[in-house]
Amino acid sequence: MANSQAVVVGGGICGLVAALLLKRRFTNVVLIEQAETVGGLFCSVKDSSGAAYDMGSHIPNATGIEELDKILFSDADSGSWNKISRLRSGNFFGGSWDLNSPFPDATKLPKETYLSGCGELINCTELPDTDLIYDYCVDSLGVVFTESIVLPILEKLYGKDAPLKELTMAAGLFGFTRILALPADVTANLKQLPAFDAKLGYQRESDFQKRKAQDNLSEVTYYYPTKGEGIGYWVTQLQQQVEQAGVEIITSERVTQIVHHNNKVTNLMLANTERVLKCDFLFWSAPPFIALRAMGLTPSRGQVTLRTALIFHLNFDRPLLDRNSHYLWVWDPDSAIFRLTLYPNLIGRSTHHHISAEILCGPDEVSSFTEAEIIKQLKEMGIVDSEAKLVSGHTQVINNTFPVPTTEFQAVNQQNYETLTNCVDNVVVSGRFSGKCWRQAEVLIEAYESIMRVADAS
């Protein structure tokens, strides 16, 4: 388009990729990021020993869309990435590890509870039709397994005071709505039925591979940087592509006004410089209510509770005892940790023996967790050698990082998304803020497809 300009608001991974895609279709592209640097949560920090840690378990994967994957992993064959054909994960539940499956194992419950739960599970033969995670699990797993397995996990992630029975299915983002419950042979057969496929996990890798072949599912390749920079390396590579493409990046800035006319965004005003940007197309990778306010409209309001991510980054003088898992879930209610990232296994070598332990909590609860207690738990779990000593580390507190997905939150977010997209037709709202998808690959695919539909038609 001659003399056309697109504006991207939000410099996370999705915003960076969108900027590159749009630069191929518009003369000029400007990217606006409120923080001092781009990348969002896909950033890494280093401790005093030079060990790099991520702000969460970020293990990107190819999307299967050639144009998109060439952007995401432009240097995939340079040796800068460890290509992972199968992500290895396990879970800690009932006081022990299962390193073959990420799903909690119901057989670890007291025998009477387990048998009662199995009776309910077998009789739940229909796919649930509800958007509430508690009701979904009751209809899928039964009351016993929901109360003894799912509710404690929800409490761990979203807080004991959260309205747990009002949480939407987005609360199951981490995948614990599937469990292990029945013998492997029985499970393999039952998973041919949709209702049981949705609630049971395979115990054997061979059964999983047979199912993939049966369903003709393609292999997914995951990537993790090998240069010791953490996932921040990915951000650096994408930013370099964006800059080389001629996209203007403006950081430490926000949009204060959006001018629109005849269902089109025409201009944006920036807060700090009062600069006015012409806008033929807007990619909005931020909460929709911010755009509505900048447009002079009143967004829907509601109660939103945001969790704090407390991450203990730890580097030891001895190798981690688990040499295979890439990341691990901790579903046991006796530990506040919910996820572990094992960097030596991700990188494919062990320059450092470092690990991240993540906790989701309220901002007023941060001081109740100590590094010493987390290290003690990791040793008791058998992840860290009992004789290992801490060489270096770093503790991160990231406030307002994860919304509690109540029905009210979903309704408000959806209403604001619809108001924004119905008001102007030259805007794409990032998939995560549209409420359609959460996982990074899905968000990128959604953004790509939206840009193809809307930008090419503009």
Side-chain angles (χ1 to χ4, degrees):
M1 301 179 189
N3 299 317
S4 60
Q5 179 159 287
V7 179
V8 176
V9 175
I13 294 294
C14 193
L16 291 168
V17 171
L20 282 165
L21 291 169
L22 291 169
K23 191 63 177 72
R24 298 174 180 180
R25 293 160 176 84
F26 290 82
T27 308
N28 301 306
V29 176
V30 181
L31 185 150
I32 310 299
E33 168 55 46
Q34 183 169 307
E36 294 180 0
T37 58
V38 297
L41 291 178
F42 279 76
C43 293
S44 303
V45 295
K46 286 189 176 183
D47 66 17
S48 58
S49 296
Y53 310 88
D54 303 334
M55 294 166 60
S57 285
H58 296 308
I59 312 168
N61 62 274
T63 65
I65 299 174
E66 185 177 2
E67 183 180 11
L68 190 52
D69 288 337
K70 282 184 177 180
I71 290 174
L72 294 174
F73 309 107
S74 61
D75 60 342
D77 297 321
S78 68
S80 299
W81 295 89
N82 182 24
K83 297 182 182 180
I84 303 169
S85 59
R86 174 179 173 254
L87 273 184
R88 294 186 294 274
S89 180
N91 81 96
F92 189 78
F93 180 72
S96 63
W97 285 104
D98 176 357
L99 297 180
N100 296 313
S101 173
F103 309 120
D105 188 346
T107 63
K108 295 180 180 180
L109 297 171
K111 185 175 181 180
E112 184 176 339
T113 302
Y114 168 68
L115 292 176
S116 177
C118 283
E120 290 184 341
L121 181 141
I122 290 296
N123 284 297
C124 295
T125 58
E126 301 294 329
L127 279 169
D129 182 21
T130 175
D131 192 44
L132 296 176
I133 191 167
Y134 179 85
D135 292 347
Y136 176 94
C137 290
V138 166
D139 292 346
S140 178
L141 304 173
V143 174
V144 172
F145 286 154
T146 298
E147 295 282 344
S148 57
I149 297 177
V150 176
L151 272 188
I153 294 175
L154 292 175
E155 288 181 354
K156 177 198 287 271
L157 295 173
Y158 301 106
K160 293 184 178 180
D161 296 331
L164 301 179
K165 295 185 179 181
E166 297 176 22
L167 301 182
T168 68
M169 283 297 290
L173 171 67
F174 301 110
F176 53 81
T177 52
R178 274 194 175 97
I179 65 171
L180 306 182
L182 302 171
D185 289 338
V186 176
T187 295
N189 287 322
L190 283 177
K191 278 181 69 65
Q192 297 296 317
L193 304 173
F196 287 90
D197 187 34
K199 64 187 173 185
L200 295 176
Y202 285 112
Q203 283 101 319
R204 295 182 302 218
E205 174 67 15
S206 58
D207 291 331
F208 176 63
Q209 294 300 333
K210 286 180 183 177
R211 179 60 179 273
K212 286 177 64 176
Q214 173 187 311
D215 293 349
N216 197 29
L217 297 178
S218 59
E219 295 293 334
V220 176
T221 301
Y222 294 84
Y223 295 84
Y224 194 81
T226 60
K227 294 184 177 296
E229 299 297 319
I231 202 63
Y233 171 83
W234 194 29
V235 175
T236 300
Q237 294 302 302
L238 289 172
Q239 182 176 353
Q240 289 176 356
Q241 288 187 67
V242 169
E243 292 172 342
Q244 290 169 2
V247 173
E248 180 183 1
I249 299 177
I250 305 174
T251 57
S252 301
E253 185 59 281
R254 61 186 177 85
V255 175
T256 188
Q257 184 180 358
I258 298 175
V259 179
H260 56 104
H261 181 68
N262 290 337
N263 297 326
K264 299 281 187 182
V265 170
T266 58
N267 299 95
L268 284 78
M269 178 175 284
L270 305 185
N272 297 332
T273 61
E274 297 186 355
R275 178 178 170 185
V276 177
L277 297 175
K278 173 192 172 186
C279 182
D280 298 297
F281 180 82
L282 176 61
F283 184 90
W284 191 265
S285 184
F289 76 85
I290 299 175
L292 293 176
R293 285 178 179 171
M295 296 171 75
L297 303 175
T298 301
S300 295
R301 302 176 184 273
Q303 182 64 40
V304 176
T305 301
L306 297 169
R307 302 289 276 166
T308 291
L310 173 60
I311 314 176
F312 290 91
H313 303 302
L314 307 165
N315 184 27
F316 296 95
D317 64 349
R318 296 191 180 193
L320 303 177
L321 297 180
D322 183 339
R323 309 290 181 86
N324 295 304
S325 302
H326 297 114
Y327 68 99
L328 297 166
W329 301 108
V330 182
W331 298 137
D332 200 299
D334 291 336
S335 173
I337 301 168
F338 82 92
R339 182 167 57 187
L340 301 171
T341 305
L342 291 73
Y343 298 101
N345 302 337
L346 278 172
I347 297 170
R349 52 190 174 85
S350 55
T351 303
H352 300 282
H353 313 305
H354 53 319
I355 186 172
S356 289
E358 297 176 71
I359 294 171
L360 286 180
C361 62
D364 57 338
E365 298 175 304
V366 169
S367 60
S368 63
F369 304 101
T370 66
E371 182 180 85
E373 177 58 29
I374 296 302
I375 292 173
K376 179 183 177 184
Q377 288 185 33
L378 294 177
K379 289 183 176 182
E380 290 174 346
M381 290 179 188
I383 294 296
V384 173
D385 191 298
S386 61
E387 300 299 319
K389 292 181 174 57
L390 188 68
V391 173
S392 55
H394 180 76
T395 300
Q396 276 188 299
V397 178
I398 311 170
N399 290 312
N400 303 325
T401 186
F402 204 90
V404 177
T406 60
T407 52
E408 183 178 11
F409 170 78
Q410 178 173 291
V412 168
N413 200 49
Q414 183 64 26
Q415 180 60 54
N416 287 333
Y417 168 77
E418 291 177 358
T419 300
L420 176 57
T421 54
N422 290 334
C423 178
V424 286
D425 55 21
N426 62 336
V427 171
V428 160
V429 180
S430 169
R432 183 162 290 168
F433 290 108
S434 73
K436 297 178 181 178
C437 48
W438 288 91
R439 292 178 176 84
Q440 186 62 47
E442 296 172 351
V443 169
L444 292 169
I445 292 171
E446 168 70 18
Y448 175 85
E449 293 176 344
S450 296
I451 288 173
M452 295 304 101
R453 287 195 302 269
V454 181
D456 288 349
S458 297

